[in-house]
Amino acid sequence: MRLALHAEWTKTRTVASPLWLLLGTVAATVALSTVATAMVNCTASGCGDDTTKLTLMGVYIGQALVAILAVLIISGEYSTGMIRTTLTAMPRRATAFAAKAITLTGVVAVGGTVAVLGSVLAGWLILPDLGDQALSLSDGPMLRAVFGTVLYLILIGLLSFGIATAVRDSATSIGGVLGLLYIVPIISQIISDPDWQRLLEKMAPMSAGLAIQATTNVHSLPLSPWAGLGVTAGWAAAALVAGGLLLRKRDA
């Protein structure tokens, strides 16, 4: 496993696209969060919104770049034929698959942490001093939201990686992942039946997972914050199992 991890890390750091996608994730996440925070009208009594969730809103766009990065890590090798070289050097496909997933996790964890903390810093600089409502990582709900958002980005990366391993094609994988993330929540808002709407919100990986960001009115959510993140983890686990099994059974 050590040699496999070293090989995957070498490939990741010597190719330009992962670095640019990570930088893009950080920039897009912080930029959108900054704009969203700057548009809030605050008074001495508060901002009228969940300020923690507002400062983390950039994840809505940052996750798309994480998904693209995760897809390209595996589908890029299929498109170039490099996957044959990888599997020849590492005949144990489960080991190769795990090494890619672990490397992806580490890369997204670093980039996600920078993006999330940058968003929080921007919010702290923009929002006025709200006393007890001020942004602070010593606050339990906010710390949970920040840590959970980084975990969410990692899970989105693993979900995308699993789907890309199963599908193999970059464009199809990216389209499928982005559709799953963004289209399902839109459908849930269009549906008039509140029961079906709430069910879709509980099942969709984005709407369920981003419940981890909520620090106010938590009891009104379809799922509790950690339960919602658990739904996203379930999607990621299912995609990884499917991708891993298909990698072992199919020819390169």
Side-chain angles (χ1 to χ4, degrees):
M1 175 59 78
R2 184 177 62 84
L3 293 176
L5 286 171
H6 178 72
E8 291 304 324
W9 168 240
T10 300
K11 284 188 284 186
T12 301
R13 68 183 176 84
T14 53
V15 177
S17 57
L19 175 60
W20 285 111
L21 285 168
L22 272 183
L23 292 176
T25 299
V26 174
T29 301
V30 175
L32 180 58
S33 296
T34 301
V35 171
T37 307
M39 293 177 65
V40 177
N41 293 319
C42 296
T43 63
S45 59
C47 297
D49 289 294
D50 187 337
T51 52
T52 298
K53 191 166 186 175
L54 278 172
T55 60
L56 299 174
M57 185 170 287
V59 170
Y60 280 89
I61 189 171
Q63 64 179 345
L65 296 175
V66 169
I68 294 172
L69 167 64
V71 167
L72 294 181
I73 280 181
I74 181 69
S75 63
E77 292 199 19
Y78 276 109
S79 63
T80 61
M82 184 68 183
I83 190 66
R84 297 186 183 90
T85 304
T86 297
L87 296 180
T88 299
M90 291 180 282
R92 294 185 178 180
R93 297 191 175 195
T95 301
F97 183 76
K100 287 182 178 295
I102 292 170
T103 302
L104 173 66
T105 298
V107 168
V108 175
V110 172
T113 299
V114 174
V116 169
L117 291 180
S119 299
V120 172
L121 177 61
W124 183 76
L125 293 173
I126 292 171
L127 292 175
D129 186 0
L130 301 174
D132 293 339
Q133 300 179 42
L135 297 175
S136 173
L137 291 177
S138 63
D139 179 60
M142 182 173 184
L143 184 60
R144 179 255 297 156
V146 168
F147 178 68
T149 300
V150 176
L151 289 180
Y152 172 80
L153 288 173
I154 292 172
L155 291 172
I156 292 302
L158 293 175
L159 167 64
S160 306
F161 174 70
I163 291 175
T165 305
V167 175
R168 295 184 175 184
D169 180 71
S170 298
T172 304
S173 300
I174 292 172
V177 172
L178 296 185
L180 181 62
L181 291 178
Y182 296 110
I183 294 178
V184 175
I186 293 174
I187 293 175
S188 72
Q189 297 302 315
I190 295 174
I191 295 176
S192 58
D193 189 324
D195 292 331
W196 278 102
Q197 187 180 72
R198 198 170 180 85
L199 179 62
L200 282 177
E201 290 176 352
K202 289 181 178 180
M203 293 174 58
M206 183 174 77
S207 55
L210 287 180
I212 197 68
Q213 295 181 341
T215 60
T216 62
N217 301 318
V218 174
H219 297 297
S220 65
L221 297 173
L223 289 170
S224 68
W226 287 113
L229 194 65
V231 171
T232 308
W235 278 94
L240 288 173
V241 169
L245 289 175
L246 288 173
L247 180 65
R248 292 188 65 180
K249 290 181 177 294
R250 295 186 304 200
D251 293 334

